[in-house]
Amino acid sequence: MRANAALIEAIGRDPHFQTLVRRRTRFALALTALTLIIYFGYIAIVAFAPQWLGVPIGGGMTLGIPIGLLVIIAAFVLTAVYVHRANTQYDALTRQILEEIK
């Protein structure tokens, strides 16, 4: 148990780990903010300008349908962006930190 505690403490003090935590947190907060802006922007349009979403665009479809789909697609795209960054950058930094600590 003490070996794990020592390892956790060593990792927490590592400057590369602190850099990783800062980068990951900053990026996650930016993506979260963007997601909230997209989602609540759509909800604000629904609440304050619903007539705008009711504009016909052809084929019996209104503007609200493609915009709603874009909100959903944006969530998947932003998730994919985070996963890509995690797999390419954050995982490499994590491996580097573990190699240095051991």
Side-chain angles (χ1 to χ4, degrees), residues 42 53 55 57 61-73:
Y42 181 73
L53 295 174
V55 172
I57 58 172
M61 189 183 312
T62 63
L63 193 57
I65 293 171
I67 292 176
L69 287 173
L70 287 174
V71 170
I72 295 167
I73 291 168

Side-chain angles (χ1 to χ4, degrees), residues 79-93:
T79 300
V81 167
Y82 181 83
V83 168
H84 175 72
R85 169 126 357 146
N87 289 341
T88 58
Q89 294 180 19
Y90 302 148
D91 286 352
L93 284 171

